[in-house]
Every structure is written in C-alpha cells, then in structure tokens.
Amino acid sequence: MARNPNISAEIPNTGIPEALAARMTMAEQHEWHQAYLRRRPVSRRNFLRGSAALAAVAAAGVAPSGLRAYAEDAPLTVAKRRVGFGADASSQLRLSAQLSRNPHGQKVFLDHGPTPGLGSTIEAEVRNLVTQVPDSDGGVLGAEQFYVHAPLDGLPGRTPHFYRWRAGDGFIGDVRSTSTAMPSTRNMLTPFRFTMMGDQGTDTTPAMPPGLARGDYDDSYYKADNEPGVAHTDNVLNQIMLSRPDFHVLAGDIAYADTSGQGKSPAFVPSGAKAPSGFDKFNPYVWDAYLESIESSASTTPWMFATGNHDMEAAYPANGYGGHMARLGFPGNGPARCPSVYSFVYGNVAVLSLDANDVTFEITANTGYSGGTQNTWVESTLAAYRADPNIDFLVCFFHHCAYSTVEAHASDGGVRDAWCHLFDRHQVDLVLQGHNHAFERSDPIRGGKPTRVASDYATVYPEADGTVYYTVGSGGRPRYTFQPGEMESYRGHEIADTFVPNSFVWTPDGEKQDEAVHWSRVRYLNYAFIRVDVRPGVLVSEMDVVAVDEYGREFDKLTFRRPVRT
C-alpha cells in the first residue's frame, strides 16, 4: 500500500458532495474520482515499491497465497486459471489467468491441443490493471495486477481440449482439460447439464493489504443463526463441482471487491471502519482470493458471468467495468457499450447474459448507460433464437430481480418494464436472477400474472404457461429474510397458501410500491444453487431444473417441456 503522507488532510470526509452525487452517472463519478487522484499524484516508483514491499515482508517464510504474488524478485508464475466460451461456444474458448507479478516484457504462452501432448502454442495477451483508491486512513491504496488472455478458435464442438500456461523464464503449469459447447445441429444433440447461482464472494480473507480481519472483505460476517465458521460459499462450490456441469453461469455480484455496491467512488477502508459518506468500500486484492477460490472448477468448466451492483467498480472507466475486462473478458457479441451483455448457444439452449444495472430503478449509478442499445439487442437476439428450429429453450440470466419477495430488494420495476414483455413475446422459458440472498421460485408468469400453480415435480409447458423466474442469490453471501410474516415453502415443508400480501416493487422514482404477490411458489432461506439437466429430443425436449442446497439435498424440481419444431 503506497501512501502519500501529504494528502491525509485533503481526503474529503464526505466524498462527493451528496447533492452532486445524486445527479451523477457512474461515468461522472469515475471522472470525479480520477480528477481527485490527479490532484494528489503518487509516483509510480513509490506506488510499485509499496505493493512489492508489503508482499516481500509477508513472504519471509511460508506466505499465504496472494502475498508473494507481488514480490518483484519472485519467479513469474501463472495461476487463478479460468475458462469461458467465446461468442460461438461450439468452436471458441477464452482462457485467462493471473500473473504473480509484473512480467517486465517476458512473454507468456498457452500450449494447447486435442490430447495431453498438446502440440500448439499461442502467445497470450497481457493486461495490466492499475488501481489507486483513497485510503480512509489518509493515504492511497495502490495495486498493480497482471492478467493473461488467450483465445482459441476453430475447435470442434463438445470435444475435450487440453492446455497449460507457460512463462518465458521457465514456469510451466500443469495440463488441464476443458471442452467447447455441444453444436446446435439437431442430430448431434445429447443430454447435458449446467449449474447456476449468484452473489458468491469468497470465504477467504484477502491477504493484501496485510492485517485485514475476517468479515470485512469476505463472506464471513454471519449472524448468530448463520452457523459462524461454516464455509457456506465453499460448500456450494463443492456441490457444483460434484454435479459435474458442462458449464456454469453466475448472475452477478461476483467477488465483492466493492462491498457497498452502490456504484460510488471507491475507498479502501481498514478492518472495523466504515466508508466515508459518498464512498464505497473497495479492495482490488479481493479478486486474488476470489479467482483462486474458484480455480478448481473454473479452470476446467466454462464459467460465464453477468454483472451486478457490486460489480460496478468505480475505480475503473467504462461504467465501472474496466476491471472485469482486464480480469475476466467476455464473449463480446453484445452491444458495444455493454461488455457483460452477450449470448451463446449450448446444444438446444440459447443463453443470454443481461446487465440489469442498465435498467434498474433501485441502484441507479448505471441506469440508462447503454442508451437503449441493450434493450434493442435483447429483442432482436431473442427473436432470432426463437426463430431457430435447432433451439428449444431460451434462458436469460441477470442480477436484479424482476420477480422476488425477499425483504432486502424484492422486485425491480425497471427490469420488468425493460424486459418482461420481451420474455413474454419470445416465450423465454427460464429467467435466472440473483441480488436477493435467498432462493425463490415463481409459478409460470405471463403479462405480470401467474398462469397456473406449479408445485414441486410439476411439468411446465412454456408455450402455454409462460416464464418461470428463479432468484438464486444464495451462492455464499450472508442470507437475507423474506417479508415480515412470510414463511418458507419447499419440499417437505410446503405451506398450503404461499400468498404474500406485503411485498414491494421499485418504481422509477426509487420508491417502494406495495405489492400483493400470488406468484411466489417456493421459498428457501439458505444456501443453494440450481442444476439444470437438458434432454434434447426428436419430438419433445425436456429440461429439469433442480434446486440443491449446500449439502447436496434437493428441495424443488420442475420439468420444462417443449415440442420440437421442424
């Protein structure tokens, strides 16, 4: 952590003046923050020395992972590996990883091939992410992180592909395998599986800067009834891995490096302290812990991300998404201004990742940033997929909830206004949401109203019945509660009447409008994910959506059934 002792008195205790901040977009807040730092520069030499010195001190012995990563005299290594799909998931993979330090011009390579013998090599692109944010103690927290990216194109569909990372100064990683998607050609379709959850974070306390207490920048700030010390995030991840999905989707709020999630200017806040008014707590080193925690799965199974409110990291440009572009990358086939908006096809399922930060009425730092281009893209993309006879099911995933009764955030009228009529028009089968830290499933909905009761083990016919909405913000962050008096209802604990008289929906003026809800069918207040088993058919295709808790116990199941078009 590089500090400038001369600026401690100049750190504004209130951040952006509140009257001004209320009128500012995410981009304007970023520029305000950058202008603030430009007036109080930290030299690059001292900035780098600060980061490296902290790492070197901590590495004098057996250092926790993430500390030695920034020691400039350490060997260059490649870790925190991740695999994703490209725009054409059946022929393109996108591989990324993190470097242990500045490569100083050394090249990094990806060796790959159809067998463990590999046989081909490409040079990786190195992306340098520099972060400087005010420290509420009166200095500046500096971070310089390096990520490598390698695209693989022209691969055969649903075929194992092997790879390893290699650095120019001698590092050679182990060989791992992944796979492209199943092609959508009807005569090539076989059963497959994917998993989903949102609001994950990490159980691991970031190692940098030193001295962080558990619970400030990790998932460990549990209430007394939340089993303190139980690694819920790891439990969910382990169950996902045991499910052996062909791919995994995460509906936003990924690492929680920005723990406040309001889209405000970032500030590093030491343990036990609160962010000054006008700032969000932010620590870029949370990403080190997060990427390491998911590597055991994400290095072999493609992980596909949407962005949530905690993913608007105002330390970076491009509406707060510059850090994600450096760390994660995305397929890039959505609107030009919306990096986390994209689509891909796996077999007979088309999947769309949407950015609800663009349409939400609740947390408006990025509301409207696409200028309507995302909504136009959603409509045209859904129309094209629904017209394709090789695609049976349409799945959309995003963060803020169109339909939920969880007390913290409930339903977002902005999401409903922007997209739900499009979901109706193009017969979207399945909508997967996060944001609310609980599990909830709706009955099928069309035109804003439930069309029928869909109890556990029911079969849904989306053409006639409508779209089912799942809230699965239960990937690891501390759980929320349902509305006062609202009871859980799930397998073995069903209640006869699931009517909710006292929920709400966010309105354009940021207010909560009371709403009585008849569509909430399953409610489970604990840690969970969903497992989706797809069975493509010749006459009829089916898709089972199963809710699974952190210990592998199933507590809800629906079957979606569609006739195959010719």
Side-chain angles (χ1 to χ4, degrees):
M1 179 165 52
R3 292 178 180 273
N4 182 341
N6 298 319
I7 70 171
S8 59
E10 298 180 68
I11 293 286
N13 291 329
T14 57
I16 302 174
E18 291 193 13
L20 179 62
R23 302 192 302 270
M24 296 173 76
T25 66
M26 189 73 176
E28 289 168 339
Q29 291 185 33
H30 172 75
E31 179 53 36
W32 185 97
H33 173 68
Q34 293 303 301
Y36 174 85
L37 288 173
R38 285 195 293 270
R39 294 192 297 269
R40 298 153 180 84
V42 177
S43 75
R44 182 174 176 84
R45 179 180 178 185
N46 288 335
F47 165 77
L48 294 176
R49 179 185 295 166
S51 292
L54 285 173
V57 168
V62 181
S65 176
L67 287 174
R68 189 174 178 82
Y70 298 94
E72 288 296 293
D73 59 346
L76 179 64
T77 59
V78 186
K80 305 177 180 71
R81 295 160 290 185
R82 187 184 72 83
V83 176
F85 293 129
D88 180 0
S90 66
S91 68
Q92 297 177 331
L93 291 170
R94 299 293 180 258
L95 284 75
S96 59
Q98 185 171 358
L99 299 181
S100 60
R101 60 167 175 81
N102 189 333
H104 295 297
Q106 290 187 47
K107 294 182 178 181
V108 179
F109 302 94
L110 184 81
D111 300 326
H112 67 98
T115 71
L118 308 176
S120 299
T121 297
I122 60 172
E123 182 180 343
E125 175 194 359
V126 178
R127 299 179 188 174
N128 177 200
L129 182 63
V130 175
T131 308
Q132 292 187 68
V133 296
D135 182 334
S136 63
D137 279 351
V140 171
L141 172 67
E144 187 168 39
Q145 296 159 309
F146 294 85
Y147 302 91
V148 286
H149 293 260
L152 299 180
D153 297 336
L155 304 176
R158 209 187 194 190
T159 301
H161 203 75
F162 297 82
Y163 75 92
R164 72 181 178 194
W165 289 98
R166 176 168 55 85
D169 68 346
F171 169 82
I172 300 176
D174 63 314
V175 175
R176 300 208 170 183
S177 67
T178 184
S179 178
T180 49
M182 179 192 301
S184 61
T185 305
R186 182 66 61 177
N187 61 7
M188 298 180 67
L189 298 181
T190 59
F192 61 93
R193 167 179 289 178
F194 67 94
T195 51
M196 174 272 169
M197 49 72 171
D199 303 77
Q200 186 180 23
T202 174
D203 284 328
T204 304
T205 304
M208 291 184 69
L212 292 177
R214 289 188 64 79
D216 283 315
Y217 289 99
D218 56 53
D219 290 353
S220 300
Y221 58 99
Y222 298 113
K223 299 177 182 178
D225 67 344
N226 240 5
E227 301 176 279
V230 177
H232 300 288
T233 312
D234 289 345
N235 286 347
V236 172
L237 179 60
N238 288 337
Q239 290 300 325
I240 289 171
M241 293 174 64
L242 288 171
S243 298
R244 300 179 63 85
D246 292 280
F247 63 93
H248 175 72
V249 298
L250 198 161
D253 283 6
I254 304 167
Y256 286 87
D258 183 316
T259 62
S260 308
Q262 298 299 308
K264 299 176 182 177
S265 292
F268 172 71
V269 181
S271 292
K274 293 185 178 181
S277 177
F279 283 91
D280 279 350
K281 291 177 65 174
F282 183 69
N283 178 4
Y285 295 110
V286 171
W287 280 97
D288 296 356
Y290 176 78
L291 292 174
E292 183 171 18
S293 72
I294 69 168
E295 183 184 29
S296 55
S297 174
S299 62
T300 57
T301 299
W303 277 49
M304 307 301 291
F305 299 96
T307 45
N309 58 293
H310 286 270
D311 303 316
M312 298 186 294
E313 299 175 332
Y316 312 111
N319 303 297
Y321 297 142
H324 301 310
M325 295 303 295
R327 294 180 172 106
L328 303 174
F330 294 98
N333 62 344
R337 299 175 61 186
C338 309
S340 64
V341 178
Y342 58 87
S343 67
F344 64 93
V345 174
Y346 197 108
N348 64 335
V349 175
V351 181
L352 283 72
S353 168
L354 308 184
D355 185 3
N357 291 324
D358 180 36
V359 299
T360 175
F361 289 159
E362 180 193 6
I363 301 170
T364 58
N366 260 345
T367 301
Y369 82 91
S370 79
T373 59
Q374 178 178 198
N375 296 346
T376 300
W377 178 88
V378 172
E379 181 165 23
S380 62
T381 303
L382 288 176
Y385 283 141
R386 183 49 72 206
D388 187 340
N390 290 313
I391 293 174
D392 298 319
F393 298 108
L394 302 184
V395 176
C396 294
F397 73 105
F398 48 82
H399 191 61
H400 301 70
C401 297
Y403 293 98
S404 177
T405 66
V406 178
E407 185 178 22
H409 303 294
S411 301
D412 196 310
V415 177
R416 289 186 187 177
D417 289 355
W419 298 334
C420 287
H421 66 289
L422 300 179
F423 299 159
D424 288 349
R425 182 182 308 162
H426 302 293
Q427 299 181 12
V428 170
D429 302 88
L430 184 62
V431 168
L432 307 176
Q433 313 159 123
H435 200 40
N436 283 300
H437 299 180
F439 179 95
E440 186 171 17
R441 173 178 64 76
S442 77
D443 285 325
I445 294 174
R446 182 163 287 162
K449 298 179 180 180
T451 61
R452 51 162 289 197
V453 170
S455 300
D456 189 17
Y457 291 114
T459 297
V460 173
Y461 299 86
E463 284 184 303
D465 295 339
T467 303
V468 178
Y469 293 77
Y470 284 77
T471 296
V472 197
S474 46
R477 294 298 276 186
R479 59 187 175 178
Y480 293 159
T481 59
F482 291 106
Q483 302 294 343
E486 184 178 2
M487 297 176 63
E488 295 179 86
S489 184
Y490 58 95
R491 182 179 300 168
H493 302 271
E494 293 94 342
I495 59 176
D497 184 1
T498 60
F499 172 67
V500 182
N502 57 339
S503 191
F504 65 88
V505 57
W506 292 96
T507 64
D509 55 3
E511 299 296 325
K512 299 176 180 179
Q513 178 179 303
D514 293 341
E515 179 177 58
V517 167
H518 294 270
W519 38 255
S520 178
R521 181 56 47 192
V522 176
R523 301 189 287 264
Y524 180 72
L525 196 59
N526 226 314
Y527 302 91
F529 67 100
I530 61 169
R531 186 183 71 226
V532 183
D533 290 302
V534 183
R535 295 184 299 279
V538 176
L539 299 177
V540 173
S541 290
E542 293 185 332
M543 180 170 65
D544 293 337
V545 182
V546 181
V548 185
D549 76 5
E550 64 177 312
Y551 301 109
R553 297 173 296 211
E554 300 178 7
F555 60 91
D556 181 60
K557 178 182 177 181
L558 282 186
T559 297
F560 294 72
R561 182 173 295 163
R562 269 193 176 274
V564 172
R565 294 166 297 152
T566 57

